[in-house]
Amino acid sequence: MNKALALAAVVMLLAGCSSRVADLTVASTKNYNINSNNFVKGARVTAEDSAPVVIFPLGIPNVKTAIDRAIEKNKCSVALSDVVVTQFNHSFLFGKFGFLVEGTEVIDRGQPGCENAS
């Protein structure tokens, strides 16, 4: 009986789910020249914004913050293309929940210092 109870507790602590929230062609939270002729595709990047859960949530995650973090991984990146936004909840009393953003960097070589960026 104790083994079954311990197993159930472990399963509940490790349980979580995630669901796809959005598929976006282009996403950006930055101001940039959309008419630039110097855009190139960069690497595939992921970033998240999450909040801890200790019986109740200790913050409010934000999709904008997750997108900002993904774009800011490269100083020459101005947007993301082929974006997937996923909401996750990996908690039962304890854990974390939030948003995961994955996309391909859109790099603007027209920015200062970014002439050879890739």
Side-chain angles (χ1 to χ4, degrees):
M1 181 70 172
N2 287 338
K3 289 182 181 180
L5 203 57
L7 180 63
V10 168
V11 168
M12 286 196 311
L13 288 175
L14 296 176
C17 65
S18 59
S19 62
R20 194 175 214 148
V21 176
D23 291 316
L24 307 168
T25 304
V26 177
S28 182
T29 57
K30 309 294 182 190
N31 291 326
Y32 66 95
N33 180 8
I34 198 165
N35 296 321
S36 175
N37 293 327
N38 298 315
F39 292 132
V40 294
K41 280 190 170 187
R44 191 88 174 150
V45 294
T46 58
E48 73 175 43
D49 186 31
S50 61
V53 175
V54 180
I55 300 178
F56 58 90
L58 299 177
I60 301 171
N62 190 325
V63 174
K64 181 193 179 306
T65 304
I67 292 173
D68 280 340
R69 289 178 179 163
I71 292 171
E72 290 167 359
K73 288 190 175 191
N74 184 334
K75 71 176 186 91
C76 297
S77 182
V78 294
L80 299 173
S81 65
D82 304 323
V83 181
V84 177
V85 179
T86 305
Q87 181 181 19
F88 64 89
N89 184 358
H90 300 269
S91 65
F92 180 83
L93 299 180
F94 301 97
K96 69 177 183 175
F97 76 108
F99 295 98
L100 177 70
V101 172
E102 180 180 357
T104 304
E105 295 173 329
V106 176
I107 297 171
D108 185 3
R109 288 186 175 169
Q111 294 188 70
C114 297
E115 294 80 18
N116 298 320
S118 59

